Amino acid sequence: MTRFPRSDYGALDLYRPDRRPVPVDLSDNTNRWGAHPDALAAVRSADEGTLTRYPDAYARDLHAAIQRRFGVPADTITTGCGSDDILDSTFRAAGPAGGAVHFAGPTFSMVEVLARMNGRTAVEVPWSRALADPDKLLENDPDVVYVCRPNNPTGLQAPRAWLDSLLGAAGSTGPLIVLDEAYADFAGESLVRQAPAHPRLLVVRTLSKAYGLAGCRVGFAVGSPEVAREVEKSRGPYKVSQIAARAAVAALNDADGWVPRTTSECVTNRERLSQALHERGLTPLPSCANFVFLPVAKGSAHAWNLALRDRGVAVRPFSDLCEAGDGLRISMAPWPMLERFLGALDQVIEKGIEQGAMLTGARSDPQTAGSAG
Ligand SMILES: *Cc1c(COP(=O)(O)O)cnc(C)c1O
């Protein structure tokens, strides 16, 4: 009997986002203001050794830059090849094979995939139940509880008091609480500084969004020295390339304040786009991230996506999400790009009854999908 392929990989498939080129791409929440100029300069001025020699096994220069920017000790930091790598390593480090990862859903689709890739069971607790009672996430003794704040794809910012009661309930011997703060820059609130003092909290961050380095694949996390060390062990050496570390250090130093400047424009545009959608009688969910989730009629997300793509704009369609149903996630960008999105949207709405009908049934009650922002 063969043991290849692994039976528990079951229905797992390759990740296949629609990456066909399109004039306005608002589909993946990367930074549409471009690369961080200092990161670009650092990559362009790299010397030969950057390519020929191994990087530092655990990216000490990057630890130092994170330490400077966030004011947390170096031994509370772990880094990785994107924050996906950190989530992967964390699920592997926490608890034995066969353990459970609980998460409030809908959320980041990679969570379930990474849990299963590591032989863990992924259990979705609907956001409304989790928000009503954080203990629901702790039932049946999981090894890991994953919370995305602000949440992808809804934009929900779970209230701070709720998070504190979840952390209180986990205590110092409960599951590891993995707090994914991929979009915290756009919400203006973070638990990075609190993480080192908490025995069961790991705050995960990425440089793929506000810092504009998705192509470099750099993420990091902050927790107690013990938690950080176990995740780093599970991750293994040499996961951040020299060229990526150079770019990341330059972006984290952010000498000219590019990050807060573009972040603030992003937040302004998010509010402006939400208002423009409301003016069209639509009901986007309130968002604390760099995207807006627009609910559409059940079963219509795919048709919306194709109709917008035909008009040169890519968004990310979601179908059948737990509690949130169908929707389009629209990444924020400089306003001219969002104007093109609105133009395409208006055309699709105008175009015909069937396409117009795609919006009827759009939920007007965002409460269940998470509006506590
Ligand atoms: C985009 C995103 C990430 C970032 O992943 P990287 O591997 O760092 O590019 C992590 N978590 C969530 C929820 C995201 O949306």
Side-chain angles (χ1 to χ4, degrees):
M1 198 178 66
T2 176
R3 270 171 279 183
F4 181 86
R6 259 174 66 171
S7 58
D8 58 349
Y9 272 31
L12 285 182
D13 200 354
L14 294 177
Y15 185 61
R16 300 177 203 274
D18 188 351
R19 295 289 299 274
R20 285 171 302 156
V22 64
V24 177
D25 188 347
L26 309 176
S27 70
D28 64 6
N29 300 342
T30 52
N31 200 315
R32 306 281 76 202
W33 279 263
H36 194 295
D38 298 344
L40 203 54
V43 168
R44 289 191 165 136
S45 66
D47 63 6
E48 189 181 308
T50 309
L51 301 187
T52 57
R53 309 306 307 270
Y54 278 108
D56 182 73
Y58 293 100
R60 273 172 304 187
D61 286 357
L62 186 51
H63 278 222
I66 294 163
Q67 181 174 13
R68 277 195 301 276
R69 177 142 192 126
F70 293 93
V72 291
D75 67 348
T76 65
I77 299 165
T78 178
T79 58
C81 173
S83 52
D84 280 17
D85 187 28
I86 292 179
L87 296 175
D88 184 36
S89 312
T90 304
F91 293 174
R92 201 159 48 240
V101 174
H102 288 188
F103 62 96
T107 196
F108 187 37
S109 61
M110 286 305 291
V111 169
E112 196 164 349
V113 173
L114 293 170
R116 288 172 60 187
M117 271 163 51
N118 284 292
R120 269 65 177 172
T121 320
V123 178
E124 181 171 55
V125 176
W127 266 108
S128 65
R129 290 187 63 204
L131 286 173
D133 179 5
D135 283 349
K136 294 282 180 236
L137 285 164
L138 305 175
E139 279 174 4
N140 302 318
D141 214 14
D143 296 313
V144 174
V145 170
Y146 171 91
V147 171
C148 188
R149 181 177 188 263
N151 186 45
N152 178 8
T154 56
L156 161 77
Q157 171 91 333
R160 177 60 194 273
W162 175 85
L163 191 61
D164 286 341
S165 61
L166 176 66
L167 288 168
S172 56
T173 56
L176 184 65
I177 309 294
V178 175
L179 184 65
D180 190 336
E181 290 193 346
Y183 302 99
D185 303 271
F186 309 101
E189 194 193 308
S190 168
L191 264 72
V192 160
R193 280 169 186 272
Q194 282 86 339
H198 200 293
R200 283 292 187 272
L201 173 63
L202 184 72
V203 176
V204 183
R205 302 282 295 245
T206 179
L207 272 67
S208 296
K209 310 287 159 59
Y211 288 82
L213 297 181
C216 284
R217 315 299 305 123
V218 181
F220 69 94
V222 178
S224 72
E226 193 200 355
V227 168
R229 183 166 170 274
E230 290 306 307
V231 173
E232 192 127 288
K233 241 162 64 182
S234 158
R235 184 209 77 163
Y238 304 132
K239 281 301 193 72
V240 180
S241 73
Q242 283 217 53
I243 198 91
R246 270 181 78 86
V249 167
L252 285 162
N253 288 344
D254 195 27
D256 188 36
W258 183 89
V259 174
R261 210 161 50 242
T262 53
T263 298
S264 138
E265 193 178 327
C266 178
V267 168
T268 302
N269 289 0
R270 178 183 77 205
E271 299 316 310
R272 194 170 165 194
L273 183 80
S274 300
Q275 193 184 336
L277 292 170
H278 279 293
E279 280 161 9
R280 287 162 171 77
L282 307 176
T283 50
L285 302 187
S287 171
C288 290
N290 70 341
F291 55 82
V292 165
F293 186 90
L294 177 65
V296 295
K298 188 174 163 58
S300 75
H302 186 60
W304 271 105
N305 181 43
L306 294 179
L308 289 167
R309 250 192 185 274
D310 283 348
R311 289 161 180 82
V313 180
V315 297
R316 175 77 192 272
F318 291 88
S319 299
D320 242 347
L321 292 175
C322 167
E323 299 194 326
D326 274 38
L328 308 176
R329 192 191 63 196
I330 305 139
S331 304
M332 289 309 101
W335 189 252
M337 290 193 212
L338 298 179
E339 242 171 358
R340 285 195 59 177
F341 160 74
L342 287 170
L345 184 75
D346 288 340
Q347 282 179 19
V348 177
I349 293 172
E350 234 168 71
K351 173 86 182 163
I353 310 295
E354 313 107 273
Q355 278 166 338
M358 295 191 294
L359 274 169
T360 57
R363 306 162 72 96
S364 55
D365 170 22
Q367 208 59 45
T368 50
S371 65

